[in-house]
Amino acid sequence: MRSLSTHLVNTMTYVVSAILILVFLAIDISIDNWVDVEFDSALTDKSNYLKTLVKVTKNGTEFDFAGEFMPEFGISTKASFFQLWQGDAVFERSESLSQFPDMDLLKQDLPLNSEIFADVVLPDGRDGRAMVSYFEPQVPSNSSILPSKIEPMWLTIAIATTDLTQISVIIDSSLAIGLLLVIVLIRWAVVKVIYRGLMPLNELNLALKNVDVTQKHIPLSSHFERYTEIEPIRNELNKFIQLSQQYLQTEKRITADIAHELKTPISELISLSEIYIRYPDDQRIGVSYKQDVLNISLRMKTIVNNLLLLQQASSENINLHRQHIYINALMDQIVDELAFKFATIHSRLNIDNRASNDHCFADEFSLHLILSNLFDNALYYSPSDSAIQICLVSDDQGLTISVENQLVTAIKANDLQRLTLPLFQTERSRSNSERHGLGLAIVENIAKLNGFEFYFTLVSSDKIRFSLHIPAIADG
């Protein structure tokens, strides 16, 4: 598993190291170039000084050189060299060249008053650098008698580059060591900075380890400082904990309600069986025993089927098959199916169809299930002689079906918000063994699964309206 801190440390180290290497490389190149320029400048100064010692007199060209003032051209282990030519003949050689009588310094054809630099091997075998210049000898301004023709001269001066190489090695080594030390220090600093920077995350992680799902907020330490980057994570975690609390409480309530709903028919079966076992010859019990057991079992089957349907709708396992549905025909079918439960259904349902289209594009099973539950609830929870208003309206946004009915008992505001909770029942429905509080929960889940909008509101203190909106994007 990758480490965020390690990744940050390595990335920052690589980036900073790359920048430092480029900077140090630029510095090293600049220093090396500067040293080379200074070395060539020193060569030029020595060459110019030696040129000033060459003079033209009436006796010819003379070279007035005093070795005691420039001992580097004498005989030594670190000697420098120079050599003068006039024409093809050697005019003067440094004392250091006396040890190498058969060796001459570099000489090249050049334009007058010009010079070149070149890396050479000195006569004693050392690496060096030479400057070759081609010039006219100096003519004194007060001389009246001069030779008719003054021949230009070559001057080559060569100096060992051993010291220069040593200096370059020292500079390069110092820069390399400095670069390595800087990278190590930066690595250490980055580790410390990132470790301290990630401390809020570590504290948040410790808080999460100690969190209790029953608490509303994550227990952070009192000295925990809030950060712009950490606070959104903390807020989202608190929301997640609150949702988990809600789901936990919902699951607890559903579990208790399921146990309550199944406990009643099970108790009835046990009681009925115990009585029949105790009084097997009582015809009054024996005659209705089989039918009573069947009815109780069917009630339990209805509860289990509704719970399975609710679970299926919640887990999105229903396969939707959308098709063109004629809404009037579907509602007529539902009314006929509910007629056995409500004999006056035809007279109580008032359908006001204002829709421009008599069909919609939806899953028939889902729409049939939703409308069946809405019609059934409206008929059951309204006075037996009251009218149920069903209105269909369509526009560019889609089709809206609303079911409005009076209430036998007023619904409290708290109960209104809980109508779609699984197994929630009002006081009247609790007294009816055929009502289990699953219908509206199934309707809401099926509507969400199909992308429908399901909502309800109190029209007045004794009247409620349920609405189902099928968006136009699902319309054929």
Side-chain angles (χ1 to χ4, degrees), residues 56-58 139-146:
V56 177
T57 65
K58 60 183 179 179
V139 179
S141 58
N142 56 358
S143 297
S144 57
I145 301 174
L146 295 175

Side-chain angles (χ1 to χ4, degrees), residues 93-228:
R93 288 160 59 93
S94 63
E95 185 180 1
S96 55
L97 284 175
S98 62
Q99 304 178 60
F100 311 99
D102 298 330
M103 298 183 67
D104 291 328
L105 297 182
L106 178 67
K107 178 185 178 184
Q108 289 187 1
D109 292 334
L110 299 172
L112 188 61
N113 296 325
S114 63
E115 64 274 334
I116 61 168
F117 295 90
D119 293 325
V120 297
V121 177
L122 300 180
D124 56 7
R126 293 176 297 160
D127 291 333
R129 189 164 176 82
M131 175 182 174
V132 182
S133 58
Y134 185 52
F135 67 99
E136 287 184 339
Q138 181 181 4
V139 179
S141 58
N142 56 358
S143 297
S144 57
I145 301 174
L146 295 175
S148 58
K149 182 179 179 182
I150 301 174
E151 191 172 2
M153 303 183 71
W154 279 271
L155 172 63
T156 298
I157 181 169
I159 299 177
T161 57
T162 306
D163 293 340
L164 177 64
T165 303
Q166 292 178 350
I167 292 174
S168 297
V169 171
I170 293 173
I171 293 175
D172 293 342
S173 301
S174 300
L175 288 175
I177 294 173
L179 175 62
L180 182 61
L181 291 176
V182 170
I183 291 176
V184 171
L185 290 175
I186 288 178
R187 172 83 177 191
W188 175 82
V190 166
V191 170
K192 293 295 183 182
V193 169
I194 291 180
Y195 175 77
R196 293 188 178 183
L198 293 179
M199 283 184 65
L201 283 178
N202 295 331
E203 293 185 16
L204 183 63
N205 185 41
L206 291 176
L208 287 174
K209 290 181 179 179
N210 300 323
V211 71
D212 185 356
V213 75
T214 61
Q215 296 181 356
K216 293 183 178 180
H217 297 282
I218 299 175
L220 300 177
S221 56
S222 59
H223 65 276
F224 187 83
E225 186 176 356
R226 297 181 182 274
Y227 293 88
T228 304

Side-chain angles (χ1 to χ4, degrees), residues 134-356:
Y134 185 52
F135 67 99
E136 287 184 339
Q138 181 181 4
V139 179
S141 58
N142 56 358
S143 297
S144 57
I145 301 174
L146 295 175
S148 58
K149 182 179 179 182
I150 301 174
E151 191 172 2
M153 303 183 71
W154 279 271
L155 172 63
T156 298
I157 181 169
I159 299 177
T161 57
T162 306
D163 293 340
L164 177 64
T165 303
Q166 292 178 350
I167 292 174
S168 297
V169 171
I170 293 173
I171 293 175
D172 293 342
S173 301
S174 300
L175 288 175
I177 294 173
L179 175 62
L180 182 61
L181 291 176
V182 170
I183 291 176
V184 171
L185 290 175
I186 288 178
R187 172 83 177 191
W188 175 82
V190 166
V191 170
K192 293 295 183 182
V193 169
I194 291 180
Y195 175 77
R196 293 188 178 183
L198 293 179
M199 283 184 65
L201 283 178
N202 295 331
E203 293 185 16
L204 183 63
N205 185 41
L206 291 176
L208 287 174
K209 290 181 179 179
N210 300 323
V211 71
D212 185 356
V213 75
T214 61
Q215 296 181 356
K216 293 183 178 180
H217 297 282
I218 299 175
L220 300 177
S221 56
S222 59
H223 65 276
F224 187 83
E225 186 176 356
R226 297 181 182 274
Y227 293 88
T228 304
E229 295 80 7
I230 303 297
E231 196 61 19
I233 300 176
R234 178 180 174 275
N235 293 335
E236 293 302 321
L237 287 173
N238 284 332
K239 290 180 181 179
F240 175 76
I241 291 177
Q242 292 174 2
L243 289 175
S244 298
Q245 290 176 319
Q246 294 176 6
Y247 287 134
L248 181 61
Q249 295 300 325
T250 300
E251 291 299 324
K252 288 182 178 180
R253 184 189 62 80
I254 291 176
T255 302
D257 289 342
I258 291 174
H260 174 76
E261 290 295 327
L262 294 178
K263 180 180 179 180
T264 301
I266 290 174
S267 298
E268 292 177 359
L269 283 175
I270 293 174
S271 299
L272 188 61
S273 298
E274 288 177 346
I275 293 174
Y276 186 68
I277 291 173
R278 182 173 296 183
Y279 306 103
D281 298 327
D282 192 331
Q283 294 298 322
R284 293 173 299 176
I285 299 175
V287 171
S288 61
Y289 175 76
K290 296 179 180 179
Q291 188 62 42
D292 290 340
V293 170
L294 177 61
N295 291 337
I296 295 172
S297 300
L298 291 175
R299 281 168 49 199
M300 292 179 65
K301 179 182 177 182
T302 300
I303 296 173
V304 173
N305 287 340
N306 286 337
L307 288 172
L308 291 175
L309 182 59
L310 178 63
Q311 173 62 25
Q312 190 178 12
S314 301
S315 60
E316 301 183 358
N317 288 330
I318 296 180
N319 294 323
L320 302 179
H321 178 63
R322 292 182 174 87
Q323 58 183 336
H324 290 282
I325 300 173
Y326 290 92
I327 193 66
N328 291 333
L330 179 62
M331 288 194 300
D332 290 341
Q333 178 185 347
I334 294 172
V335 170
D336 293 337
E337 292 174 356
L338 294 176
F340 79 98
K341 295 174 62 175
F342 307 98
T344 59
I345 185 173
H346 292 283
S347 60
R348 293 182 61 191
L349 292 183
N350 294 330
I351 301 177
D352 182 13
N353 191 349
R354 304 175 187 174
S356 57

Side-chain angles (χ1 to χ4, degrees), residues 331 349-354 371 374-375 378 388-393 399-405 453-457 459 464-470:
M331 288 194 300
L349 292 183
N350 294 330
I351 301 177
D352 182 13
N353 191 349
R354 304 175 187 174
L371 295 180
L374 292 181
F375 290 0
I388 310 298
Q389 302 295 332
I390 301 175
C391 183
L392 285 77
V393 179
L399 173 66
T400 301
I401 304 173
S402 60
V403 180
E404 182 178 317
N405 63 277
E453 295 181 34
F454 176 65
Y455 51 95
F456 47 89
T457 182
V459 179
I464 190 171
R465 179 190 299 126
F466 294 90
S467 299
L468 178 72
H469 178 72
I470 305 175

